[in-house]
Structures are given as structure tokens and as C-alpha cells.
Amino acid sequence: MRELGPAATLAALILFFSLASQQFLSIANLKVVLESSAIPVVLVVGLTFILIQGSIDLSIEGVMAASSMLVSLLIANSVTGSDMGWWAILAGACLGSAFGLVNGLVYALLRLPSLIVTLATWFVGLGVATLLFPGRQPQILDERLTRLALDKSLGVSALVFLALVVAVLGWLMQTYTQFGRISYAIGRDEKTTKQSGQRVRLHKILAFALMGLISGVGGIMISAQLAVGNPAAGEGFLFPAVSAAVIGGTLLSGGTGGVLQSIIGVFILEVLRNGMIQLGVDPYLRHVAEGLTIIGALVVGNWSLRARLRIVK
């Protein structure tokens, strides 16, 4: 159930909503699902490597906001007169990487809980984004960035194809690199992994640096969609990312799941949300349904582990 349950759940949701709504399986609606899944897919790829090590990163929204604001101020815009082109996009990605590197260093070297460290970084990122905000929203004038969200190929934007590339790279990294294998080993038994001579701290730092880079890319993607700089650009992305990973089978306990499982979780949430909108379900009831789905995924995912968990906190 833990391995096949998420995929079966996704298939069941698609079948149910396709029978309940004639518009659900329309080409236009499927494009909407793909577009709304692009940024969450990118985020869960990075988050997966954190979770399978048994850690957590709550700084996603703050890092996205800071990166988004930096990009919008350095690229051609209506406020600052700056025009750094692609260098502005690179700067946004580098800022995200810097946040992630700081998270990893503080967590791994000072041995502080990742939850507390990244929670603090979340607020630091929001503070940086607010400090960068020039008082009125800078409108992004560089069409090279905005076209990523506007221009369509095969009916979807370049952001969808970017998400696909990130997903493939994440799966390859997880499956065929030492970093991916050691990340699983850390989540399953960190002490034994360290005793075997592996550089556990380095792999932890790399995981958080990767997550920072991914969050920076997410900030760039939301800037392309909004076409403005906004210190609240990352708002609402943390909970869906963590929830999707858990629903897909990448458990918070570490050592279980993977990139593909997390991506399935993204589509479960997006299909559930889109399908309920198609049926006209009250927004509050949609939140209830999403919450129950998460609880159900936790029960299924942790059922086989309950015998090993002598104490649950």
C-alpha cells in the first residue's frame, strides 16, 4: 500500500472526477493542472533530498520571496532602471543557494534542529524581501523572463518544461549518484553511515544548498508568472510542497520515498483541488478534504513502521 497507494489514489481521483465532471478531462483543464503543478514539482524535487535524510526545510517561502524580489529589481523593471538581463536571473538563483548553504552549515556544523534553523531562515528571507521592496511593485519589463510563463509550446508554458527537466535531473541524481544513495543511508541509519566513513555533514550541507537553489528557481518562476516583484511571492508554497511529498510516500521519518513519489503527491493535491473546483465544492470543504488526504497518507505510509517507533512525539 505504501508503494502503490499514491499512484492508485491518483488514478482513482482522475477516474472519479472525469465521471463527475465533463470538463475535467478536457484539454484546457489538463493544461491548467500542468501549469499549476509546475512550481510545486520543482520545489518537491529539492525537498525530497532533505526529507529522505530525515530533515525538514521550512524556509522555502522566505527564500522564494527574497530571490523573486532580487530578480525583479535587477532585471529591466519600472522602478530601478536596472537591466542585467540573464545575470539578474542567475543572481536570484545564487541568492537562493546562499540561503540554502547557510541553512546547511548552521544545521550540520552547529548541530541545531533543521526545523528551527530553517524556520528562522524563512523569516530572514521575508525580511530581506521586505527590505528590498522599493515601496511600489516593480513591474518586470524584460520579456525574456515573462515569456517563460506566457509563450506556449504544445499548449503549455516553458515553466512546465522546466519543471520536467528539474524532475528528470532530480531522479537521475537520486538514482545514479553517490549523493542520492548517501542521502537514503543517512535517513535510514545516520550513525552507521557515519561509522562507514561517509562524509555525512557534507551531504547534509549539499542537500540544503540544493534546496536553496531550487527555492531560488521557484522564486524566478513565480516572478515570470506574476511579472512583478512582490515580497509575498512565495506565500502558500511551503505547505503544499511538504504535504505533496508526504502524500506521495516521502516520509518525514527519512529513508523512504523519492522524487517520483513526491511528484505523484503534487499531482494528487492538484487533481483533488482542481476536481473539487470543477464540482463547485465550498473552499472550506476543499481544505477539509486536503487535510484528510494528508492524514490518510500518513497512516498508510507509517503503518509498517509503527512497530519500530517505540515512542511517537
Side-chain angles (χ1 to χ4, degrees):
M1 288 182 64
R2 187 179 66 207
E3 295 178 358
L4 301 178
T9 299
L10 178 59
L13 286 173
I14 293 174
L15 178 61
F16 171 77
F17 287 121
S18 64
L19 295 175
S21 172
Q22 295 181 350
Q23 298 298 320
F24 179 76
L25 282 183
S26 66
I27 299 299
N29 190 58
L30 292 179
K31 291 176 182 178
V32 170
V33 173
L34 290 176
E35 293 286 354
S36 61
S37 301
I39 296 179
V41 164
V42 170
L43 294 176
V44 297
V45 170
L47 187 61
T48 295
F49 290 96
I50 301 289
L51 296 179
I52 61 178
Q53 289 188 6
S55 304
I56 188 68
D57 190 342
L58 302 181
S59 66
I60 292 173
E61 293 185 5
V63 177
M64 286 181 65
S67 298
S68 175
M69 278 304 305
L70 182 64
V71 169
S72 66
L73 293 175
L74 294 182
I75 207 165
N77 64 88
S78 61
V79 175
T80 65
S82 177
D83 187 6
M84 293 180 60
W86 293 111
W87 291 105
I89 296 176
L90 179 61
C94 289
L95 179 61
S97 300
F99 271 104
L101 182 60
V102 170
N103 279 337
L105 290 172
V106 174
Y107 162 61
L109 299 183
L110 299 184
R111 301 180 67 183
L112 298 176
S114 59
L115 184 147
I116 302 300
V117 172
T118 57
L119 181 63
T121 310
W122 177 6
F123 291 110
V124 171
L126 291 178
V128 169
T130 304
L131 289 173
L132 290 175
F133 188 65
R136 59 189 178 94
Q137 283 191 336
Q139 182 180 356
I140 296 175
L141 304 178
D142 193 321
E143 293 185 356
R144 288 173 294 183
L145 179 59
T146 56
R147 282 177 180 172
L148 294 177
L150 295 177
D151 290 353
K152 306 294 182 179
S153 178
L154 299 178
V156 294
S157 70
L159 298 182
V160 174
F161 293 101
L162 176 59
L164 177 61
V165 170
V166 172
V168 171
L169 291 176
W171 178 78
L172 292 174
M173 186 182 300
Q174 164 203 301
T175 308
Y176 295 106
T177 68
Q178 184 185 38
F179 172 67
R181 292 190 292 270
I182 298 302
S183 294
Y184 277 107
I186 292 172
R188 290 166 181 161
D189 193 336
E190 181 176 338
K191 183 178 180 180
T192 301
T193 304
K194 187 179 297 184
Q195 290 175 344
S196 67
Q198 300 297 334
R199 303 174 68 180
V200 170
R201 287 185 179 179
L202 175 61
H203 285 87
K204 288 183 175 181
I205 294 171
L206 290 176
F208 278 94
L210 174 63
M211 184 67 247
L213 173 62
I214 291 291
S215 297
V217 171
I220 296 168
M221 294 172 72
I222 194 64
S223 296
Q225 287 185 341
L226 298 176
V228 296
N230 190 330
E235 186 175 339
F237 283 100
L238 173 62
F239 177 74
V242 176
S243 302
V246 172
I247 289 173
T250 304
L251 304 183
L252 300 177
S253 54
T256 304
V259 170
L260 293 182
Q261 290 91 327
S262 297
I263 292 175
I264 288 174
V266 170
F267 283 107
I268 288 175
L269 282 181
E270 293 299 334
V271 166
L272 180 64
R273 187 176 297 117
N274 180 275
M276 288 190 292
I277 292 174
Q278 293 288 331
L279 297 180
V281 177
D282 185 273
Y284 296 107
L285 290 180
R286 295 204 296 265
H287 292 317
V288 171
E290 291 174 12
L292 292 176
T293 302
I294 295 169
I295 293 174
L298 285 172
V299 171
V300 173
N302 288 280
W303 189 258
S304 63
L305 304 176
R306 68 195 188 283
R308 289 186 289 163
L309 299 175
R310 300 178 62 184
I311 299 176
V312 178
K313 297 184 179 180

